[in-house]
Amino acid sequence: MPRARLTIDPDFTIAPVPRRLFGSFVEHMGRCVYTGIYEPGHPKADEDGLRRDVLDLVREVGPTVVRYPGGNFVSGYEWEDGVGPRDRRPRRLDRAWRSIETNEFGLGEFARWAQLAGTEPMMALNLGTRGVQEACDLLEYANHPSGTKYSDLRRAHGDADPFGIRLWCLGNEMDGPWQVGHKTAAEYGRLAAETARAMRLVDPTIELVACGSSSRSMPTFGEWERVVLEEAYDQVDFVSAHAYYEEREGLGPADFLASAVDMDAFIESVVATADAVRAKGKHTKRINISFDEWNVWYQSRFHETAISKNEGDWQVAPRVIEDEYSVTDAVVVGTLLNSLLRHGDRVTIGCQAQLVNVIGLLRSEPGGSAWKQSIAHPFEQVRRHATGEILAVQARSDRYETPKFGDVDLVDAAGTWDAETGTVSLFLVNRDLAEPATVEVGVRGFGDLRVQHAAVLAAADGQDRHTANDEQHPDRVGLRPLDAVTVEDGTAHVTLPPLSWAVVQLSTVRA
Ligand code: AHR
């Protein structure tokens, strides 16, 4: 049976948990917006066509920030098409996903939805086919109170109060040759700097994200970040990172389960590059990372589809990358959340991609029901229970061999300490496909602790690692109580089932 020994102490912390780490992403892609969050005529839709059943699940899962409206979509989007009277909004070709965009849903609808969902909106700008002026026009429409062309247009459209959007992404994946309006690092860095400078003149309270690399395997990775930040360091607050992982031919479960090793390395390389630019330019501020797209995505399956090959009919809201997530995928997502949390001193925004239907935390059917995918469970638990300070977890684990990443820990861990509530929260993964793992956690520094809550996600009896939820079985994969947790003489003992993700909460015994 694999073993791991963890040590934690309230005096050894990394940073306060950044609340924006637990965000998600809504793109005009496939059925994320249309028949995802918005479906007029659905029995559960409100008077604006927002699906109440989906909203209820979104509130439960609780993304703290939601990026919108793309993604690759944004690089050809004209935001003006999506505001004003619906019957006058044009239908347009969305070149990114070979779809028809009806523009029934736009900025005003998203702002209202975000308010109902209790989440912070994060807007992405089109720097593919557009530039400085259109970005400033959009910002004026969104955030300026009144008395100007675009603020008065918003008021004429029925939104008297500004939306007050603070977070803005300066384009999307501009390093990718697939991106409409793709640029070199020098071209993009200059455009990002000029757009940022002009936008801050409109609203100095905004926070700006420059595009980093769309994956660590991009040939320009590293050099892209260096050049962009040398151009735009003073003008931006964050550099983005995107990463998707999958199990596929030639990349088996051993490597897939070790995806967080790649994410750790990705984050550490971007931090090193940003800090080198900081040193060279004698800048004082630090640039943090907005990991604003991450997830499991079976991209190899998508590359076989007509849309990926730019073939077939142009449709409204086609089914695109509606990946159905298994027990294994949920465990991997748990390790990715751990990676983000371990780096929470520098990764201060995270957006799981995407929220509904399109590689979604949630799924919904047109005219039908909505449910949580397996991956929603670790996401929701970490969002709820990672509070206070991130702990510097000292971990020694048995290891296993992987073809791609070398030897990797069988047990992966992250944790937080909330001094206000006296609660330690541990997020634990057993990567062993066959054996349970025993985990000892040295907790002496916290005084007396008792088990407050422990739950696990693993294949139940009669299931295997491929089991997933679907419309007929929305709760097949979920959380179960984890009984195998004790605390004695300053050590907590946890037994994790094979291939599992768990949350364990220990709280101080108050007199
Ligand atoms: O999330 C799906 C797509 O993945 C996004 O549109 C793009 O930014 C990324 O390549």
Side-chain angles (χ1 to χ4, degrees), residues 359-423:
I359 46 174
L361 286 177
L362 307 175
R363 284 290 315 274
S364 66
E365 277 299 310
S369 64
W371 66 97
K372 288 180 191 172
Q373 296 234 60
S374 65
I375 61 169
H377 294 287
F379 181 93
E380 178 176 340
Q381 294 298 305
V382 179
R383 194 274 301 161
R384 281 182 195 276
H385 299 308
T387 57
E389 295 279 325
I390 303 165
L391 288 164
V393 179
Q394 298 302 309
R396 272 171 182 278
S397 165
D398 286 354
R399 291 163 79 78
Y400 73 112
E401 253 181 62
T402 69
K404 185 169 172 188
F405 299 110
D407 283 356
V408 170
D409 285 352
L410 274 163
V411 171
D412 185 71
T416 59
W417 161 238
D418 191 332
E420 254 177 54
T421 61
T423 308

Side-chain angles (χ1 to χ4, degrees), residues 197-227:
R197 209 190 315 274
M199 288 177 76
R200 287 199 199 280
L201 297 174
V202 176
D203 181 350
T205 70
I206 55 176
E207 296 169 68
L208 292 168
V209 183
C211 290
S213 292
S214 43
S215 95
R216 191 162 84 101
S217 58
M218 292 299 289
T220 49
F221 176 65
E223 182 63 358
W224 174 274
E225 282 78 358
R226 182 188 71 74
V227 173

Side-chain angles (χ1 to χ4, degrees), residues 190-355:
R190 185 104 180 81
L191 178 59
E194 291 309 322
T195 307
R197 209 190 315 274
M199 288 177 76
R200 287 199 199 280
L201 297 174
V202 176
D203 181 350
T205 70
I206 55 176
E207 296 169 68
L208 292 168
V209 183
C211 290
S213 292
S214 43
S215 95
R216 191 162 84 101
S217 58
M218 292 299 289
T220 49
F221 176 65
E223 182 63 358
W224 174 274
E225 282 78 358
R226 182 188 71 74
V227 173
V228 168
L229 288 178
E230 282 187 351
E231 289 284 352
Y233 200 97
D234 283 332
Q235 274 73 45
V236 303
D237 305 288
F238 305 88
V239 61
S240 72
H242 292 179
Y244 293 103
Y245 299 99
E246 68 179 319
E247 184 177 338
R248 58 166 189 267
E249 217 183 299
L251 198 92
D255 280 322
F256 179 46
L257 284 163
S259 299
V261 174
D262 179 83
M263 191 183 237
D264 287 342
F266 192 163
I267 293 168
E268 285 156 25
S269 307
V270 176
V271 166
T273 308
D275 288 352
V277 177
R278 174 175 182 252
K280 189 176 166 209
K282 301 188 174 59
H283 302 283
T284 46
K285 76 172 181 188
R286 279 187 205 283
I287 298 288
N288 284 331
I289 298 177
S290 171
F291 217 119
D292 46 42
E293 285 187 35
W294 67 266
N295 201 355
V296 170
W297 172 9
Y298 287 86
Q299 264 178 311
S300 48
R301 293 180 202 157
F302 170 61
H303 293 315
E304 299 304 311
T305 64
I307 285 184
S308 170
K309 295 176 184 158
N310 200 29
E311 291 167 357
D313 293 341
W314 294 79
Q315 293 173 42
V316 175
R319 288 184 186 264
V320 191
I321 59 171
E322 300 197 358
D323 288 0
E324 197 166 81
Y325 290 118
S326 65
V327 170
T328 317
D329 300 326
V331 171
V332 170
V333 161
T335 62
L336 300 177
L337 286 159
N338 279 356
S339 172
L340 293 172
L341 205 49
R342 281 193 289 265
H343 296 95
D345 55 335
R346 299 303 297 270
V347 184
T348 53
I349 302 173
C351 301
Q352 172 279 340
Q354 299 186 6
L355 187 59

Side-chain angles (χ1 to χ4, degrees), residues 25 27 29 71-72 97 172-173 244 293 297 354 359:
F25 174 36
E27 176 165 6
M29 174 179 179
N72 297 345
W97 304 111
N172 176 70
E173 294 191 351
Y244 293 103
E293 285 187 35
W297 172 9
Q354 299 186 6
I359 46 174

